[in-house]
Amino acid sequence: MQSFTVLFQPAEEGGYNVFVPRLPGCVTQGATLDDARRMAEEAIHAYCVSLAKDGLPIPVEQKHTEQLMGQIDVRLQFA
């Protein structure tokens, strides 16, 4: 069992886009958050199977302690 960081981003057309930073190009989407999570599990599994078939290692998870994702609300007033 391996852990993968995933980023869920609301999609403009609805649902969620999912990105897996550890696996470049591993992107999927789902109509709901649960659906997106299931799709991410499938995408990660397929990506890793493909790496194994090509004799390539699974990339190591990078710990980015200096980078955190969040949201900041800023009140903008223009003269």
Side-chain angles (χ1 to χ4, degrees), residues 1 4 7 10-12 15 20 31 35 48-49 55 57 63 65 69 71:
M1 179 81 61
F4 293 82
L7 304 174
E12 288 183 23
V20 186
D35 186 40
C48 292
V49 167
K63 299 294 181 190
T65 56
M69 181 175 282
Q71 182 173 340

Side-chain angles (χ1 to χ4, degrees), residues 16-20 25-30 36-41 43:
Y16 295 88
N17 296 318
V18 187
F19 304 89
V20 186
C26 188
V27 178
T28 190
Q29 62 185 17
R37 184 174 282 114
R38 281 190 299 275
M39 296 300 290
E41 289 174 11

